[in-house]
Amino acid sequence: MSTLSLYDEIQEIRARYPESLSAVMPALQLAQERSGGWLPEQAFRDVADALDLTPAYCLSIASFYDMFRLEPIGETVIEVCTNISCGLKGAQQVLEAFESELGLKAGDTTDEFTLRTVECLGGCGWATIVAVNNRHRLHVQAGDVPRIVAELRGSEWKEPDEPDA
Amino acid sequence: MSPTPEIVFAGTNGGALTEIADYEAVGGFQALAKSRALTPDDVIAELNASNLRGRGGAFFPTGRKWSFVPKPDKIDKPHYLVINADESEPGTFKDREIMLRVPFRFLEGSLIAAHAIESKHIFIYIRGEYEVEFEVLVAALEQMRAKDLLGAVTIVVHRGAGAYICGEETALLESLEGRRGLPRTKPPFPAIAGLYASPTAVNNVESITSATTVMEIGGAEYAKLGVENSTGTRVFSLSGNVVNGGNYELPHGYPLRDLINELGGGIADGRSLKAVIPGGSSTVILTADEANTVTLDFDSLVGAGTAIGSAAVIALDDRCCMVQLAVRVSQFYEHESCGKCTPCRVGTKWLTSILQKIEDGRGTQADMNLLVSVAERINGKCLCPLGDSDAIAVMSYFDKFRDEFQAHIDEGGCPFHGESSLDHLLAPVAMHIALPEGKAIDGLINV
Ligand SMILES: Cc1cc2nc3c(=O)[nH]c(=O)nc-3n(C[C@H](O)[C@H](O)[C@H](O)COP(=O)(O)O)c2cc1C
Ligand code: SF4
Ligand code: FES
């Protein structure tokens, strides 16, 4: 964890660019990281202050790009790619397995989890790609999902056909 | 046909060269030293001799692009090299593997390119989803700085935040300047007025990485690889219903059939090949018969009415419903349309809606005509190629698999009866967004 304040760290980012406006995206990324993975109203004011912009301008940037989150998110964000290469390899079945395992619908958020679909993550030949907090898992199949969810919940995974001792 | 030795991935032995000493042990940074001893014009001449053409999609000759950047004494502004590592064309995942496995060859190429266009400022725009790749690049840069390889050049790695349109070079520049990624009208071209309205070259990761090899072995030697008009090797991303998906570095001119059947292990699950998308989702589809006759190079694919694009080969087996494919592809372009021009902003949504109606069995003969008419009103009328791509891709499925579209009308529903591989695939654009209970937004944002 950096000891610098958000303001100071944004000044460092700003110094990398010939024009300070270029720092708005990295500044928002940093602010999002510092605010639990999403951008509350205060984050826009902070970034605006640090870069001499307005909060509305910062919001117009954040709303354009998919990776900025304008609402609270779960502690673990699960994103299933449903573009065509993954689709051909069973992405919809993977998504539905997550839905039933988590008891959520794609698009839902709880304190613990956010589940959503995303466009191509650039791993098409290793389909299906599932991003868990931005780390990509390759070759995911529907049958792998109970194990993944158990792992994310920090609970022990037992093979379903294994009789409980 | 057997693949030739690796160029982009040379020296990796299937692994990664992420330690600078390992890269130096296979001849790393010699091309940079050689280039820096040459004048910028001589470097460009070498690139021209290689006939290396852009790997980002448009296949524009790399040396020519660099020669368009005015000499510093002609324009009193800094020159910029911007590297497009935004890789987001569906089906494409090659730049990612290049950055992971040969980050130094890529960064070496960046410094060579900067020397050629007399730039002291390099920006690498990497898609935000590539977190590990970002970390690898940052670590590689540290090692290069420690050895003082950058000289007077600064390299900033700038992370995108999820927008396909930012792969389009002018949208990328807008985004890098801190604005929304809306494409610019051209001219002026980036070579004259690019980043901060200054002379700028924008190049793809693989083009830049290949430039290292060009300078290492010489342009004439490089031009011996591949075929006429498509020299050198290319990293093909193979995905879809094949046994072994993955990246394959091959000389241009390699038969598509062999990529799928030999290297890719053929079609999986005992199914048969139905169609191939040869160059990323923006390109015209090939039927199985057509796919069996083409080779993977610019001329052969243009001759077959399609394009090499981003060299992303997607194989589809006989379980895939072409109307569902069209819906899903169109949903992607609709989702990624920046909204700056009307034919794309309105048209992509219309295409999706009409296609969905046909898929759902609510379509009529009139909808088939409407589909064609909407596509015609998009194609060629957009500010950037994104809108065109939707119309071109969808129309190619319609033209080549019209019976399947017609069957949806005649049978009043999908002839695959829920058995298609893409059945009910949930696209982000169709996803409902529900707020968690008790997590109402405090006041401000609910977009
Ligand atoms: C909608 C759209 C998306 C694009 N996405 C990418 C991309 O992700 N990566 C890339 O290198 N080029 C992409 N391009 C092509 C770039 O505009 C540009 O031609 C390329 O980066 C130039 O590099 P090159 O000459 O080395 O190929 C895209 C073009 C369009 C129209
Ligand atoms: S074609 Fe689409 S993406 Fe391109 S400028 Fe127009 S609206 Fe934007
Ligand atoms: S289609 Fe899923 S990663 Fe590309």
Side-chain angles (χ1 to χ4, degrees):
Chain A
M1 186 78 196
S2 167
T3 50
L4 286 179
S5 69
L6 180 66
Y7 183 93
D8 290 338
E9 211 162 329
I10 293 176
Q11 301 317 311
E12 283 191 357
I13 294 171
R14 183 178 187 161
R16 285 181 216 149
Y17 297 93
E19 294 187 15
S20 65
L21 193 59
S22 286
V24 66
M25 225 155 75
L28 285 167
Q29 284 159 344
L30 186 68
Q32 175 160 288
E33 212 179 286
R34 295 281 175 87
S35 326
W38 69 290
L39 291 163
E41 187 179 352
Q42 186 59 42
F44 292 109
R45 285 199 221 105
D46 291 344
V47 171
D49 276 351
L51 291 174
D52 301 315
L53 297 168
T54 63
Y57 183 80
C58 297
L59 173 59
S60 80
I61 297 299
S63 66
F64 186 82
Y65 298 94
D66 279 354
M67 292 179 75
F68 292 118
R69 309 258 159 69
L70 306 179
E71 296 134 17
I73 52 157
E75 209 166 300
T76 304
V77 179
I78 300 172
E79 295 170 311
V80 180
C81 167
T82 61
N83 208 297
I84 48 178
S85 298
C86 287
L88 292 167
K89 289 281 199 176
Q92 182 61 26
Q93 287 70 41
V94 171
L95 176 67
E96 287 169 14
F98 274 112
E99 291 185 328
S100 78
E101 206 61 32
L102 296 169
L104 297 176
K105 284 274 163 214
D108 283 352
T109 284
T110 62
D111 285 340
E112 215 184 346
F113 290 105
T114 291
L115 177 66
R116 56 179 216 151
T117 63
V118 287
E119 291 296 3
C120 178
L121 285 170
C124 329
W126 311 301
T128 291
I129 306 297
V130 176
V132 177
N133 290 340
N134 288 336
R135 294 287 169 161
H136 295 186
R137 299 193 181 209
L138 319 182
H139 296 297
V140 178
Q141 297 181 341
D144 303 328
V145 170
R147 182 182 285 106
I148 294 173
V149 171
E151 175 207 316
L152 297 175
R153 288 202 161 122
S155 51
E156 194 81 9
W157 162 252
K158 285 201 183 74
E159 289 294 336
D161 51 356
E162 219 174 54
D164 277 339
Chain B
M1 197 169 157
S2 71
T4 49
E6 293 170 320
I7 292 291
V8 168
F9 293 120
T12 57
N13 271 323
L17 294 170
T18 48
E19 292 301 323
I20 200 161
D22 296 340
Y23 181 59
E24 285 172 329
V26 298
F29 298 112
Q30 287 174 15
L32 177 63
K34 197 162 145 188
S35 304
R36 281 181 171 161
L38 295 173
T39 65
D41 282 341
D42 286 344
V43 174
I44 290 173
E46 211 59 59
L47 263 295
N48 285 336
S50 76
N51 202 12
L52 173 68
R53 295 170 69 170
R55 306 309 196 216
F59 218 55
F60 193 84
T62 306
R64 273 248 298 287
K65 181 177 280 189
W66 294 354
S67 72
F68 290 159
V69 176
K71 295 286 161 207
D73 57 350
K74 296 274 188 302
I75 286 191
D76 185 26
K77 281 179 178 173
H79 287 34
Y80 295 105
L81 173 67
V82 175
I83 299 180
N84 191 340
D86 196 47
E87 186 162 73
S88 321
E89 169 84 358
T92 319
F93 49 99
K94 64 188 177 69
D95 293 338
R96 162 182 225 171
E97 188 162 337
I98 292 171
M99 292 185 283
L100 283 178
R101 289 179 56 204
V102 284
F104 293 111
R105 185 166 290 133
F106 162 54
L107 293 168
E108 181 177 6
S110 311
L111 292 170
I112 292 170
H115 175 64
I117 64 162
E118 301 186 55
S119 163
K120 296 272 177 273
H121 312 281
I122 302 174
F123 290 94
I124 300 172
Y125 189 104
I126 183 170
R127 75 175 287 191
E129 291 87 346
Y130 285 179
E131 194 168 278
V132 178
E133 293 72 12
F134 169 76
E135 289 163 9
V136 167
L137 286 186
V138 169
L141 275 170
E142 295 268 297
Q143 296 182 58
M144 286 170 67
R145 285 197 187 101
K147 293 206 146 203
D148 205 18
L149 282 161
L150 267 48
V153 178
T154 61
I155 301 185
V156 174
V157 189
H158 185 94
R159 302 186 68 184
Y164 167 67
I165 190 57
C166 291
E168 193 283 331
E169 59 185 15
T170 61
L172 186 153
L173 296 173
E174 282 288 298
S175 178
L176 187 49
E177 288 183 14
R179 282 187 281 272
R180 292 180 298 145
L182 310 186
R184 299 174 178 169
T185 46
K186 293 191 262 193
F189 290 92
I192 309 299
L195 188 63
Y196 310 121
S198 301
T200 304
V202 183
N203 279 112
N204 168 264
V205 170
E206 187 183 353
S207 316
I208 288 291
T209 309
S210 302
T212 304
T213 304
V214 168
M215 293 313 295
E216 198 175 309
I217 66 176
E221 206 53 37
Y222 187 87
K224 289 182 189 159
L225 297 163
V227 294
E228 208 190 341
N229 289 330
S230 304
T231 59
T233 64
R234 188 82 183 246
V235 182
F236 291 94
S237 300
L238 178 63
S239 70
N241 299 116
V242 288
V243 176
N244 305 312
N247 286 312
Y248 296 91
E249 183 177 4
L250 301 167
H252 276 119
Y254 195 84
L256 173 55
R257 187 182 62 226
D258 291 356
L259 171 60
I260 292 174
N261 293 330
E262 289 177 21
L263 302 174
I267 301 303
D269 308 328
R271 309 299 304 201
S272 58
L273 181 69
K274 178 174 186 173
V276 178
I277 297 173
S281 73
S282 301
T283 56
V284 164
I285 203 165
L286 297 171
T287 63
D289 285 344
E290 290 169 334
N292 281 327
T293 63
V294 296
T295 52
L296 293 166
D297 55 83
F298 182 83
D299 289 338
S300 175
L301 289 168
V302 167
T306 184
I308 195 161
S310 60
V313 176
I314 308 172
L316 303 104
D317 74 21
D318 57 331
R319 286 170 295 188
C320 177
C321 165
M322 288 296 149
V323 177
Q324 289 177 9
L325 175 70
V327 169
R328 187 62 190 87
V329 166
S330 192
Q331 283 173 320
F332 170 73
Y333 291 103
E334 178 192 339
H335 187 254
E336 303 300 334
S337 170
C338 82
K340 185 166 177 172
C341 62
T342 315
C344 172
R345 182 183 63 242
V346 180
T348 52
K349 195 172 177 64
W350 270 72
L351 283 184
T352 307
S353 311
I354 302 164
L355 289 162
Q356 188 70 61
K357 192 175 168 196
I358 295 173
E359 168 58 21
D360 292 346
R362 296 175 288 114
T364 62
Q365 215 58 44
D367 290 314
M368 299 272 273
N369 298 335
L370 185 59
L371 184 69
V372 177
S373 138
V374 171
E376 281 169 356
R377 285 179 222 199
I378 297 173
N379 200 2
K381 299 177 175 66
C382 296
L383 179 62
C384 90
L386 186 146
D388 295 350
S389 298
D390 192 7
I392 290 168
V394 164
M395 274 305 104
S396 76
Y397 316 154
F398 182 77
D399 289 340
K400 296 186 183 186
F401 297 90
R402 190 170 307 211
D403 291 353
E404 231 175 280
F405 282 70
Q406 189 62 46
H408 283 74
I409 308 285
D410 296 345
E411 292 182 26
C414 183
F416 285 80
H417 305 292
E419 299 295 315
S420 160
S421 44
L422 300 182
D423 203 63
H424 283 101
L425 192 56
L426 184 70
V429 79
M431 187 175 56
H432 88 288
I433 300 287
L435 286 178
E437 238 175 288
K439 284 219 171 176
I441 303 297
D442 344 316
L444 180 67
I445 312 136
N446 203 349
V447 285

